[in-house]
Amino acid sequence: VAVILGALLLLAWRRDQSTDALGWWGFGYLLAGASFALLSARGVIADVLSIEIANTLLLVGYGFLFAGTRAFGGRETPGTALIVAPLIWLTAMRIPAIAGDINLRVVVVSSMQCTFVGLMAYELWRERAEPLLSRWPAIILLCTHVVVLTGRSITVMIAPIVSHGQLFRSPVFAVLTFGTVLYTITFAFLLLAMTKERTVLRHKTASLVDSLTGLANRRAFLSDAEALIDARLSRSEPLAVLVADLDRFKMINDRFGHAVGDQVLKAFATAVRRSIGAHDLAGRRVGRIFRIAD
């Protein structure tokens, strides 16, 4: 399941390379799939592969998912952040007490997984101003995963696992496995949904917002103004329309150039946004005329 989802994410990235997030997430899922395959072969292949290498790949995969989440928010991730967790795990495996105890190994790996998942939830939360509907289910899902990982660590400390055979045969393992499959599928779906929502939002914004000033363009202004007028008239409330024209603006362009003129327009648009109320409307017409409905 993880490998198929990773391939789908990479396919989506190939079709839309406007963000590197899909690439990070896709490779993260592929690494997780390779890790799950090695973990499932415990007792059939060498322990160094089914335990040490498998969990190393798992933590690298979580690092890729974290890097993808940061890339989705427009942030880069230092390479060192991707190797810290795997290095901690490999160092811990040099300690005989941890290497020989499945419960301690579960605690070590779960703690680092929990850290990555918590950081991913934080990265999505800090960009909450962007109106993406799928963002909040993703945050809730990640927080739930943190709770599950924490509960797993507490469980193995209270009721230690005697052997890996006992773990695989236990009902708890079956429930955790089923939950992991659901989590893996749901999270990949939400990642794709967020990416699609952002693309749609950008296209909508581009069609309704003036690219230079960030104010509503003529199309958006007239549409919103009509709704505003109807609402005010239905409540018999007063309405005013102000038209602003920048005096001698052509002289600014002729003397200092259009780049400076654009900066003047941006500054004026910023002043307009600061001056109007939360329920007022401001827009720009192509002829550099600002209209404000208040």
Side-chain angles (χ1 to χ4, degrees), residues 147-167:
V147 173
V148 172
L149 290 170
T150 304
R152 183 170 67 179
S153 298
I154 296 173
T155 300
V156 297
M157 296 304 294
I158 296 176
I161 302 167
V162 177
S163 65
H164 71 275
Q166 175 196 358
L167 172 64

Side-chain angles (χ1 to χ4, degrees), residues 37-56:
L38 293 176
L39 287 168
S40 300
R42 177 75 188 279
V44 179
I45 61 177
D47 285 353
V48 67
L49 294 174
S50 64
I51 299 177
E52 197 163 340
I53 301 302
N55 284 299
T56 300

Side-chain angles (χ1 to χ4, degrees), residues 272-290:
V272 169
R273 280 194 294 268
R274 284 201 300 258
S275 302
I276 64 175
H279 301 290
D280 298 336
L281 180 64
R284 179 196 176 199
R285 203 184 69 174
V286 176
R288 288 190 173 85
I289 296 177
F290 292 77

Side-chain angles (χ1 to χ4, degrees), residues 25 29 61-70 112-127 135 138-139 142-143 145-146 149 183 187 191 194:
W25 290 332
Y29 263 79
Y62 268 81
F64 273 50
L65 293 177
F66 168 63
T69 307
R70 283 182 59 83
M112 287 182 285
Q113 287 178 282
C114 197
T115 300
F116 274 127
V117 174
L119 289 173
M120 284 191 285
Y122 170 71
E123 290 293 334
L124 292 178
W125 178 82
R126 72 192 297 190
E127 298 294 331
R135 180 187 303 276
I139 293 174
L142 290 170
C143 291
H145 195 38
V146 169
L149 290 170
Y183 164 80
F187 189 54
L191 295 179
M194 283 194 300

